[in-house]
Amino acid sequence: MAEERRQKLCSVILPTESMKAMAESVGVGSLQEDSCLALSEEVSYRIKEIAQDALKFMHHGKRRKLTTGDIDHALKLKNVEPLYGFQSQEFIPFRFASGGGRELHFYEEKEVDLSDIINTPLPRVPLDVSLKAHWLSIDGVQPAIPENPPPVPKEQQKTDSTEPLKAVKPGQEEEGSIQAKSQGASSAEVKGKEKMRMKPRSTHELSVEQQLYYKEITEACVGSCEAKRAEALQSIATDPGLYQMLPRFSTFISEGVRVNVVQNNLALLIYLMRMVKALMDNPTLYLEKYLHELIPAVVTCIVSKQLCLRPDVDNHWALRDFAARLMAQSCKTFSTTTNNIQSRITKTFTKALLDDKTQWTTRYGCIAGLAELGHDVIKTLIIPRLSVEGARIKAVMDGPVVSNIDKIGADHVQSLLLKHCASVVAKTRPLPDVVDQYKADYGYLGTLLCSHVVKARAQAAFQAQTVNRTTLTITQPRPTLSVSQSGLSASSGSRTPSIIKVPSSLTLMSTRPGTPTQPSPPATKYIVMATSAGAASTQQVITLSSSQSGSPVTNTVPSTPTSLQPLVKLESGNTGAVSGSRPLQKYIVVSLPSSSSSLENKGSGVLPSSTSPISMESAVKLERSESPAANTQSPH
Amino acid sequence: MAAVQDGPMELDAEKETKPEILSDGTSNLSGNTASGTLSSSPLTAAPAGAAPKMEDQQTLIAVLQFLKRNKLTESVDILRREAGLGEDQEALDGSGAGKGEGDGGDTNSLLSRVSMASAAAPQSTLTPMPVKSADQPDVSVVLSAYSQQGDPFLYKVYYSDLKNFIESVLDCHRAELSQLFYPLFVHMYLELVYNNNENEAKAFFEKFSGDQECYYQDDLRILCGLTKKEHLKGNEALLDFRTSRFVLRISRDSYQLLKRHLQERHNNQIWNIIQEHLYIDIFDGISRSKGQIDSMSGSLAGEAKREVNKIKVFYGLLKEPEIEVPLDDEDDEAENEEGKPKKKKTKKDSMGSKSKKQDPNAPQQNRIPLPELKDSDKLDKIMYMKESTKKIRLGPENLPSICFYTFLNAYQGLTAVDFTDDSSLLAGGFADSTVRVWSVTPKKLRKVKSAAELNLIDKESDDVLERIMDEKTASESKILYGHSGPVYGVSFSPDRNYLLSSSEDGTIRLWSLQTFTCLVGYKGHNYPVWDTQFSPFGYYFVSGGHDRVARLWATDHYQPLRIFAGHLADVTCTRFHPNSNYVATGSTDRTVRLWDVLNGNCVRIFTGHKGPIHSLAFSPNGKFLASGSTDGRVLLWDIGHGLMIGELKGHTDTIYALKFSRDGEILASGSMDNTVRLWDSMKAFDEVETDDFTAATGHIHLPDNSHELLLGTYHSKSTPVTHLHFTRRNLLLATGAYNSQ
């Protein structure tokens, strides 16, 4: 301590070279060493004095940071004219230069063209000071509202979960021992250990308010009212005070998944996955402790053989995609060298993928799960498998008709593979793209892959050109998407990463029930989605989205030639055209709004910065809009 | 010889009992000049009883004789001039000394001493002398106190000698004597700097600065920058350090011990500093413990002298004026559904009777003239009483709710906040020189119409007061422009008609909340005005600023009525006592002072803070004072006894806001560390035993029970708490500006 202090307090003076440099800058040529020394001592002292005065102003300004204004005021105290020109800047960009054995820090003053300043649009006027009131405490208890900091900071949650021994505090230790006693722990030794290990937080008792909240939230999350669900999810994603309820939520989710997988209740599975997403989005929660419950649930939703009652029509693919993205996100956030989540998950997926007997659904899930983990994983684990998978797909497609389900499954797997692999191949494989070579390298899928890669390259080039413009023409943030669109089904539409909580999508939904597509759907709420997906044997469905993204794909529905149009308009136009042309295309509407709305969002610059996942969200949106109708039509 | 010897002896005897500075400058000077060389000599086996003064004289004469013998006439002249010794006096003394030489065993030692001194003389004693004499006229008198010259190389030796001594004494004395380290260190350092021994000063600083108590850190930082004599002139803080004497409180035993040691070792350098620059307040009884000392030390000028805090302070509250309250009808109106106006009335009566009783500690009702109550004031008092009947009784079991008003988008920097007593208005001072007033009730802020429009109003109508208000421009907030620097203090008048603001531009402005214009600019401070506050009765207000004085003003005088001078550094915060007869000020010199408004005297000095004080609060009953500083501690003071009675530790940054609840049970503190904390002030006040002994000596032993007193900590989201206010119903309002970084 004393050492430290002494170091801090030793008096520092400016080097004499600084004096020389400054003297030169004002035209005094040769300054003697003695004068320099005297000057630097004096200057250093005065600077210190001013800094000490400036500190007073900082204290009275109730700040922690010394500003240039403080220095000005301190100078004013000494009757010195303040330094002009340093006021507005948050930090002063001193630059460093050296040369000729000298080192200089200087303030660069750039020449500014006045016309530039005049011509640039005015910045936004800063908002005026305003007052906002909230409860910091009610009768001595701090309410857990967004205005207040979270009761247990995330950092502490993290240390609690990673180093439980350290986190135990004296007061809580007692709590632990009391519990141990009440549980009737047998020997004293065990008790002692338990005392140490005991998790400090009260996972046991929730206040009445919290119980009510928990009940409301869980009911809303799996209930039928979409508006309520949205609110509930919003609350889960933002409220800072959920820490104590976290174990309950995680149990709720894992149990819910377990039950609903058995019952093949796709809707509930979707709801539960959305809850997982909301929990992960909450910046105040640290989920590490609950991964053992959450990850199995999520993985179940990715690879389960059957997730819905009617696998031929229901769009369980979207759920798999969504869950795969959740998985990837949790791998990214929580994988450490100790828990090895990512490698364990990868192993699981790969094992299933390598198994010949794996069903198409599971196969799809495995590939989706792996693909979400990033390009490296695709490159090392999926691309080598392309030819094998291609053969398998070929067997189903070209071979004797086994079952419709297998065909659909194979179809999905194919599009998924193409979508993910194309971008990676485009990046890694050198030009030129020769179809025969592709065939040789990748087998059955080679031809398609080649065309996809070409498209991906074109897209990338196109993006590179337009990327700087903030106009609406930029459609796809990820090359994968553009590629996928040509041949692929609704999943591609739902894959677009964006947040769809935009009014436009809502209006869209309201318009939809009126369209002629409505009558078609069968059984469940999410059917609409399912029909589109299930029947979506490529081209017809895709058209719209592809035309939107600017890729000139295939026949049907070229009704919207321009890349972007107001969503609603687009939709109505399409539905009209579609329903007119083919009866099959009812479902288009369904897959479209998601993709188109998401595209719309993207175009309008609302783009999410992360590639976080929301296919589900979009799927869910759709299904939400459907739900009232579906409910009435077919009580599930 | 005898005559010469007697004089200094007497002086010395006096010094022992009454440690006062020697007023006789010249003799002092001459004596000290040689003292350094003398005590430096390793052969000082001088007679134990001989006083340093006498020896100095002798040595000086011996040196002169030596010089003469060696034909160094110039040096002799200089030395003689310097020492102020006449030719004849020297002869006289010389013969005296000669006689002395003849008759005692002293002779050898004296001679050897002389030779040692002469060896040192050319380098250390003589060379600086011309400099000193040349500088003497144009350096202030204050500085000249340092002109004494010892051997700069030996300062370290003196200091470490003393250090060794203090470290070796018994534990009970060590803590007390350790107090000497810091002031001695500072004075020795300054002395070295003053005498242009820059390198020695730096070495001295480096060697010993680490030993100082950590709470002197800030001062040491200032000191370490001071390495030149020229710097001393401009530095106000250090000028204060030299002019005012550092006060130490030491028990008689410890003091005797110290004195004996210094005399034995002839450590005159240190002895002189103690004599000249320190005030040692000696008391009889058991010496204090380290904890006791630490709790009281820390201020720029040591502890308060005991006498200072003995003056009687009338801390009681003034009698409430009799207001005939039209209770019944109003109560019926407001409370008819509750149906208990009757019960209330009895309560009110009891309250009334309590206030009728004259508090023995209260000042005379007319001790200072107070403004007459206006009708509107009476109405407000009635409102207040009604509100206070609905007041929540707070306590450890019953904590207040806190409503936090966050200032958003306050990029310019929020610097000061105040609420009106009825919590209807909120004023914020900003670093961009504006003052903004908000209405925190649904009632909007209206200003009086312009003169032209006022002419059109029917002045006879009953609701003329309503009519003069301009409905069109009513808004939730108004901005007051006028200052030319950051606004560091705002205060509402109790009648809510005026607002005061103090600013960096050195002015205090009085604003009308009827017209929302500036009425008066009070000039006088010249430097930034850090704080201002209205008296609880209105009319008077107090301000404190960088010029180190607090001023008392009346709204209708453009010059201050009183100037409270005494702080050694900036006056950072000012608060009126609830009875308006006293003013408390907190300062950067780390003391809190209480001033009597009637005569301008300083009646209390509270030391113990280790950092600048940024917040003060009186308890509603006027008995206690709480102060918060940059060190994150709140200290509680008993005004009547002049004692520290509590220390509340917990905050980790500067405390900018302190407030007692309306009944004084809870103390709320708000800090830069983004927390509001609630403390059990009742418990803190009750637990202190103020028996006669502690009251007499001022030695308080503080229980370290902060965590027991802490009732709650409430974190805000990166919003430093700048102001706290209890509404009349004991709801706590807190404010702060959200800081997005």
Side-chain angles (χ1 to χ4, degrees):
Chain A
M1 177 73 192
E3 289 282 300
E4 202 183 331
R5 216 182 306 148
R6 213 174 295 167
Q7 272 184 350
K8 253 196 297 182
L9 283 175
C10 68
S11 72
V12 183
I13 61 168
L14 295 170
T16 49
E17 288 86 53
S18 311
M19 296 303 120
K20 277 205 183 110
M22 277 177 226
E24 277 169 26
S25 74
V26 293
V28 179
S30 56
L31 207 59
Q32 289 191 346
E33 192 61 27
D34 289 351
S35 347
C36 276
L37 193 67
L39 260 179
S40 79
E41 277 174 2
E42 179 67 14
V43 167
S44 310
Y45 172 71
R46 297 296 162 199
I47 286 176
K48 281 177 196 167
E49 214 177 31
I50 285 164
Q52 276 153 7
D53 275 340
L55 219 62
K56 275 184 197 168
F57 285 94
M58 182 192 78
H59 277 303
H60 283 280
K62 305 194 162 93
R63 276 175 279 114
R64 275 202 201 86
K65 202 190 265 175
L66 194 73
T67 66
T68 47
D70 295 331
I71 307 261
D72 285 349
H73 290 137
L75 287 172
K76 211 172 135 191
L77 277 190
K78 302 257 171 239
N79 249 333
V80 181
E81 195 166 348
L83 301 169
Y84 298 106
F86 288 108
Q87 266 85 351
S88 58
Q89 233 123 4
E90 176 70 7
F91 77 105
I92 302 169
F94 274 114
R95 292 200 35 198
F96 175 75
S98 62
R102 286 220 186 152
E103 294 180 336
L104 263 184
H105 292 268
F106 64 95
Y107 179 51
E108 191 178 39
E109 288 173 298
K110 286 188 191 126
E111 277 183 28
V112 183
D113 193 354
L114 210 56
S115 61
D116 281 356
I117 295 177
I118 294 166
N119 290 331
T120 48
L122 289 173
R124 279 208 322 196
V125 179
L127 294 168
D128 199 12
V129 187
S130 61
L131 265 185
K132 187 174 185 297
H134 74 268
W135 289 108
L136 187 68
S137 140
I138 296 171
D139 293 331
V141 181
Q142 188 161 25
I145 50 174
E147 285 86 351
N148 288 328
V152 185
K154 200 168 176 179
E155 287 309 306
Q156 200 187 328
Q157 289 182 34
K158 190 170 180 177
T159 51
D160 281 1
S161 58
T162 50
E163 295 161 272
L165 294 180
K166 267 188 196 169
V168 178
K169 288 173 190 163
Q172 289 150 346
E173 211 171 343
E174 284 171 20
E175 206 179 274
S177 66
I178 291 164
Q179 276 159 10
K181 259 178 226 163
S182 66
Q183 284 161 7
S186 53
S187 71
E189 200 179 297
V190 171
K191 214 187 274 180
K193 261 185 192 165
E194 234 175 23
K195 201 163 107 182
M196 290 305 287
R197 291 278 158 86
M198 199 56 85
K199 288 279 155 58
R201 259 1 107 176
S202 60
T203 47
H204 326 281
E205 284 165 35
L206 296 183
S207 67
V208 182
E209 291 84 358
Q210 282 173 322
Q211 288 174 26
L212 278 176
Y213 173 86
Y214 174 75
K215 192 162 158 275
E216 283 287 318
I217 288 283
T218 48
E219 276 174 8
C221 278
V222 297
S224 56
C225 175
E226 183 55 37
K228 256 193 183 174
R229 177 162 28 251
E231 263 178 52
L233 291 175
Q234 171 76 17
S235 167
I236 294 179
T238 53
D239 267 349
L242 299 182
Y243 177 69
Q244 294 196 320
M245 277 175 270
L246 206 47
R248 315 217 166 204
F249 277 127
S250 90
T251 311
F252 177 81
I253 290 166
S254 78
E255 287 299 311
V257 167
R258 187 176 308 177
V259 170
N260 286 295
V261 160
V262 174
Q263 296 184 348
N264 291 322
N265 194 339
L266 182 58
L268 279 175
L269 290 174
I270 292 172
Y271 300 153
L272 292 169
M273 285 303 108
R274 285 174 76 188
M275 274 180 84
V276 175
K277 164 114 185 68
L279 285 174
M280 286 176 72
D281 285 349
N282 192 321
T284 62
L285 295 179
Y286 190 73
L287 296 178
E288 223 257 5
K289 265 194 277 184
Y290 308 99
L291 289 180
H292 65 283
E293 285 188 311
L294 293 177
I295 285 186
V298 174
V299 172
T300 304
C301 289
I302 300 176
V303 298
S304 176
K305 262 185 276 185
Q306 199 178 354
L307 288 170
C308 48
L309 284 175
R310 306 176 43 177
D312 50 341
V313 281
D314 294 349
N315 187 6
H316 55 94
W317 312 106
L319 173 60
R320 292 177 199 277
D321 283 337
F322 182 66
R325 229 159 297 146
L326 277 182
M327 195 61 240
Q329 195 188 340
S330 48
C331 279
K332 218 180 286 167
T333 329
F334 302 111
S335 189
T336 61
T337 47
T338 41
N339 60 21
N340 275 326
I341 294 176
Q342 173 142 1
S343 66
R344 282 156 71 189
I345 291 290
T346 317
K347 242 176 247 168
T348 313
F349 285 148
T350 321
K351 205 175 145 201
L353 193 62
L354 292 177
D355 191 349
D356 282 342
K357 286 173 197 134
T358 311
Q359 301 240 343
W360 283 110
T361 46
T362 308
R363 194 169 291 279
Y364 179 92
C366 291
I367 296 171
L370 287 173
E372 288 298 339
L373 292 175
H375 282 186
D376 285 343
V377 178
I378 295 176
K379 202 165 79 183
T380 53
L381 293 176
I382 300 182
I383 289 182
R385 297 276 304 164
L386 268 181
S387 50
V388 182
E389 295 297 325
R392 206 191 300 275
I393 292 165
K394 193 180 175 213
V396 175
M397 297 297 230
D398 300 348
V401 177
V402 193
S403 80
N404 194 29
I405 295 181
D406 274 356
K407 199 157 190 268
I408 295 169
D411 199 39
H412 271 97
V413 169
Q414 181 185 339
S415 47
L416 183 75
L417 282 172
L418 288 175
K419 185 176 71 176
H420 285 299
C421 294
S423 62
V424 178
V425 172
K427 272 190 192 151
T428 51
R429 200 182 163 92
L431 284 167
D433 298 319
V434 183
V435 178
D436 287 342
Q437 274 187 7
Y438 271 82
K439 240 181 193 165
D441 288 350
Y442 304 116
Y444 171 69
L445 291 174
T447 331
L448 279 170
L449 188 63
C450 182
S451 65
H452 273 80
V453 169
V454 171
K455 236 174 282 163
R457 289 196 206 274
Q459 184 79 28
F462 177 67
Q463 274 191 352
Q465 284 172 359
T466 53
V467 86
N468 288 331
R469 291 203 277 152
T470 52
T471 52
L472 300 179
T473 46
I474 300 173
T475 50
Q476 306 284 353
R478 295 204 295 173
T480 47
L481 294 179
S482 60
V483 173
S484 71
Q485 256 151 3
S486 73
L488 294 197
S489 65
S491 61
S492 70
S494 58
R495 177 156 289 272
T496 45
S498 70
I499 293 166
I500 318 208
K501 286 176 183 169
V502 178
S504 62
S505 64
L506 293 176
T507 52
L508 173 77
M509 286 172 236
S510 63
T511 55
R512 193 141 30 104
T515 62
T517 56
Q518 202 51 38
S520 67
T524 45
K525 305 169 193 172
Y526 33 90
I527 291 167
V528 181
M529 188 60 165
T531 46
S532 73
S537 38
T538 51
Q539 279 101 346
Q540 305 107 320
V541 186
I542 312 315
T543 44
L544 249 190
S545 52
S546 59
S547 74
Q548 229 178 337
S549 61
S551 57
V553 171
T554 63
N555 38 22
T556 54
V557 207
S559 60
T560 51
T562 55
S563 59
L564 280 165
Q565 275 188 353
L567 180 63
V568 177
K569 194 175 162 193
L570 171 81
E571 209 241 342
S572 60
N574 280 325
T575 46
V578 166
S579 57
S581 62
R582 284 190 199 185
L584 226 184
Q585 278 156 342
K586 299 164 191 170
Y587 49 76
I588 289 176
V589 187
V590 179
S591 73
L592 266 181
S594 63
S595 67
S596 61
S597 62
S598 54
L599 286 173
E600 176 79 1
N601 288 341
K602 218 184 300 162
S604 57
V606 196
L607 250 195
S609 51
S610 69
T611 52
S612 76
I614 318 205
S615 77
M616 197 42 156
E617 224 145 88
S618 58
V620 159
K621 274 285 148 38
L622 290 174
E623 158 259 321
R624 162 216 291 188
S625 58
E626 288 310 318
S627 58
N631 277 344
T632 51
Q633 281 170 3
S634 56
H636 189 56
Chain B
M1 165 88 189
V4 178
Q5 223 169 344
D6 275 350
M9 283 293 273
E10 263 170 32
L11 265 176
D12 243 30
E14 270 172 38
K15 262 187 253 164
E16 274 176 34
T17 49
K18 186 170 59 126
E20 286 287 343
I21 185 169
L22 273 173
S23 55
D24 185 357
T26 48
S27 78
N28 210 7
L29 202 71
S30 62
N32 292 335
T33 311
S35 69
T37 45
L38 167 71
S39 43
S40 71
S41 98
L43 296 171
T44 40
K53 278 284 132 122
M54 186 198 73
E55 274 188 11
D56 290 350
Q57 195 97 6
Q58 279 187 348
T59 317
L60 202 66
I61 291 156
V63 170
L64 273 173
Q65 285 177 340
F66 176 80
L67 290 174
K68 265 189 184 167
R69 211 178 305 149
N70 289 298
K71 311 272 188 276
L72 297 165
T73 42
E74 265 190 50
S75 306
V76 170
D77 284 345
I78 290 168
L79 185 56
R80 191 178 291 151
R81 196 165 61 239
E82 281 285 286
L85 291 173
E87 196 67 72
D88 42 351
Q89 192 187 348
E90 185 217 328
L92 187 81
D93 286 336
S95 62
K99 244 184 278 167
E101 265 175 317
D103 59 30
D106 268 343
T107 325
N108 287 333
S109 67
L110 190 63
L111 270 177
S112 58
R113 208 188 309 143
V114 165
S115 55
M116 283 301 292
S118 64
Q123 299 100 39
S124 62
T125 322
L126 291 183
T127 37
M129 272 182 182
V131 179
K132 190 180 67 190
S133 52
D135 270 12
Q136 210 74 18
D138 58 340
V139 178
S140 71
V141 185
V142 182
L143 288 176
S144 67
Y146 277 136
S147 59
Q148 54 195 340
Q149 180 67 36
D151 184 347
F153 299 101
L154 290 166
Y155 273 49
K156 272 194 227 167
V157 180
Y158 300 149
Y159 191 85
S160 43
D161 177 55
L162 183 75
K163 196 173 138 192
N164 290 337
F165 161 70
I166 290 177
E167 274 164 6
S168 66
V169 295
L170 289 173
D171 280 357
C172 58
H173 301 300
R174 190 190 302 155
E176 291 208 308
L177 294 178
S178 301
Q179 297 176 82
L180 280 166
F181 282 142
Y182 175 67
L184 281 178
F185 170 78
V186 174
H187 282 291
M188 289 173 87
Y189 177 75
L190 291 178
E191 213 162 280
L192 285 172
V193 170
Y194 180 80
N195 292 314
N196 285 328
N197 296 311
E198 195 181 329
N199 292 330
E200 285 76 42
K202 276 183 187 161
F204 182 75
F205 188 88
E206 207 159 298
K207 185 141 196 259
F208 298 111
S209 66
D211 301 340
Q212 306 305 327
E213 297 283 354
C214 53
Y215 40 81
Y216 292 120
Q217 191 75 355
D218 288 345
D219 289 343
L220 292 181
R221 199 166 292 138
I222 295 174
L223 271 186
C224 83
L226 268 173
T227 49
K228 290 248 180 287
K229 188 177 180 179
E230 297 78 52
H231 298 160
L232 292 178
K233 270 183 242 172
N235 198 310
E236 290 139 352
L238 289 160
L239 220 102
D240 285 321
F241 203 89
R242 286 178 311 239
T243 46
S244 61
R245 293 215 262 149
F246 200 92
V247 182
L248 299 167
R249 222 178 267 181
I250 291 183
S251 71
R252 187 170 294 284
D253 293 348
S254 304
Y255 179 71
Q256 297 290 359
L257 209 63
L258 172 74
K259 213 174 79 179
R260 206 173 314 136
H261 169 76
L262 290 177
Q263 281 177 355
E264 272 171 19
R265 307 299 299 265
H266 298 281
N267 208 337
N268 286 340
Q269 201 60 36
I270 286 180
W271 185 246
N272 283 325
I273 290 174
I274 292 175
Q275 295 294 310
E276 285 170 40
H277 299 296
L278 309 189
Y279 178 95
I280 297 186
D281 191 356
I282 301 161
F283 61 86
D284 294 306
I286 320 154
S287 48
R288 296 186 294 169
S289 72
K290 176 92 177 123
Q292 281 175 319
I293 291 166
D294 274 350
S295 67
M296 297 293 283
S297 56
S299 110
L300 199 60
E303 296 181 42
K305 297 174 194 172
R306 268 172 305 158
E307 310 89 71
V308 180
N309 288 344
K310 291 281 180 267
I311 304 159
K312 168 126 177 102
V313 173
F314 302 101
Y315 56 79
L317 299 185
L318 293 178
K319 210 165 58 172
E320 284 291 317
E322 305 276 334
I323 303 170
E324 58 287 9
V325 187
L327 264 180
D328 292 328
D329 38 319
E330 293 215 12
D331 270 339
D332 284 344
E333 231 177 284
E335 306 280 318
N336 47 2
E337 80 269 29
E338 282 180 45
K340 49 174 184 181
K342 202 172 169 188
K343 198 178 158 194
K344 258 210 193 136
K345 187 139 186 238
T346 54
K347 218 176 181 178
K348 171 63 48 55
D349 284 347
S350 69
M351 254 173 65
S353 65
K354 201 167 74 182
S355 63
K356 266 171 214 149
K357 208 166 48 189
Q358 175 72 35
D359 186 340
N361 290 311
Q364 288 283 309
Q365 202 72 12
N366 53 0
R367 189 162 175 268
I368 60 162
L370 290 173
E372 298 252 317
L373 280 184
K374 290 180 294 208
D375 284 351
S376 60
D377 296 334
K378 284 179 185 158
L379 272 176
D380 199 54
K381 278 259 186 304
I382 294 165
M383 276 302 292
Y384 174 69
M385 285 175 183
K386 274 172 64 182
E387 287 259 357
S388 51
T389 56
K390 297 179 199 158
K391 188 164 53 188
I392 301 163
R393 281 226 146 256
L394 297 177
E397 305 303 313
N398 201 1
L399 294 177
S401 299
I402 308 171
C403 180
F404 203 105
Y405 284 93
T406 312
F407 286 82
L408 299 172
N409 310 319
Y411 308 111
Q412 63 273 65
L414 177 73
T415 43
V417 179
D418 193 33
F419 275 99
T420 53
D421 188 64
D422 69 346
S423 318
S424 64
L425 299 178
L426 168 63
F430 291 87
D432 66 353
S433 317
T434 58
V435 178
R436 288 161 196 254
V437 184
W438 276 269
S439 167
V440 291
T441 57
K443 207 172 137 195
K444 289 193 169 175
L445 297 176
R446 299 175 302 174
K447 61 178 174 192
V448 175
K449 287 176 181 168
S450 68
E453 285 175 87
L454 284 176
N455 262 336
L456 305 174
I457 293 173
D458 174 15
K459 285 159 195 83
E460 302 304 313
S461 73
D462 291 339
D463 58 345
V464 67
L465 285 176
E466 271 297 304
R467 290 190 184 200
I468 59 168
M469 305 313 281
D470 192 350
E471 217 44 78
K472 278 187 301 234
T473 58
S475 61
E476 271 178 21
S477 79
K478 298 263 186 215
I479 307 179
L480 306 172
Y481 297 103
H483 281 296
S484 60
V487 180
Y488 290 119
V490 286
S491 174
F492 281 104
S493 72
D495 60 4
R496 293 189 297 285
N497 282 327
Y498 305 103
L499 175 70
L500 277 174
S501 64
S502 69
S503 159
E504 186 268 340
D505 62 14
T507 62
I508 303 148
R509 283 176 186 268
L510 182 73
W511 309 83
S512 163
L513 296 181
Q514 301 295 329
T515 59
F516 289 96
T517 52
C518 182
L519 302 177
V520 198
Y522 301 95
K523 293 173 188 170
H525 271 292
N526 283 332
Y527 285 106
V529 189
W530 297 130
D531 198 10
T532 184
Q533 202 211 6
F534 254 113
S535 142
F537 299 92
Y539 186 63
Y540 300 110
F541 65 92
V542 64
S543 67
H546 178 71
D547 57 1
R548 293 184 271 164
V549 295
R551 290 166 201 246
L552 180 85
W553 310 72
T555 48
D556 56 0
H557 287 65
Y558 64 88
Q559 284 188 322
L561 305 180
R562 299 278 182 276
I563 293 181
F564 304 118
H567 276 299
L568 302 178
D570 303 29
V571 177
T572 48
C573 54
T574 52
R575 283 291 171 273
F576 259 100
H577 190 275
N579 68 19
S580 199
N581 279 259
Y582 296 92
V583 164
T585 56
S587 162
T588 313
D589 68 8
R590 306 187 286 268
T591 61
V592 177
R593 284 173 188 250
L594 193 71
W595 309 87
D596 193 335
V597 166
L598 182 68
N599 48 28
N601 289 335
C602 177
V603 291
R604 290 285 181 271
I605 302 176
F606 297 128
T607 63
H609 272 297
K610 317 286 188 257
I613 290 145
H614 275 276
S615 51
L616 287 169
F618 279 99
S619 70
N621 61 11
K623 273 187 185 172
F624 305 105
L625 178 68
S627 57
S629 83
T630 54
D631 59 10
R633 299 181 315 144
V634 178
L635 297 183
L636 302 172
W637 310 94
D638 182 324
I639 295 170
H641 295 98
L643 292 177
M644 183 195 296
I645 51 165
E647 179 188 16
L648 307 176
K649 284 186 275 195
H651 281 293
T652 56
D653 211 331
T654 310
I655 295 162
Y656 281 117
L658 278 174
K659 199 80 175 186
F660 281 96
S661 68
R662 293 279 171 165
D663 295 321
E665 301 101 335
I666 301 270
L667 174 66
S669 61
S671 152
M672 198 70 188
D673 63 8
N674 305 341
T675 58
V676 174
R677 283 173 204 256
L678 301 177
W679 309 88
D680 190 343
S681 52
M682 270 322 194
K683 196 171 168 200
F685 296 146
D686 288 345
E687 274 186 3
V688 174
E689 74 296 357
T690 46
D691 54 44
D692 292 340
F693 173 73
T694 46
T697 56
H699 303 154
I700 195 77
H701 188 74
L702 288 176
D704 185 17
N705 57 353
S706 292
H707 59 278
E708 289 165 37
L709 299 175
L710 180 63
L711 297 176
T713 304
Y714 305 98
H715 291 267
S716 70
K717 251 188 185 172
S718 71
T719 312
V721 184
T722 45
H723 189 76
L724 291 167
H725 175 79
F726 275 96
T727 68
R728 289 171 177 176
R729 298 187 190 188
N730 265 339
L731 170 70
L732 179 58
L733 306 179
T735 60
Y738 177 69
N739 185 357
S740 52
Q741 287 123 36

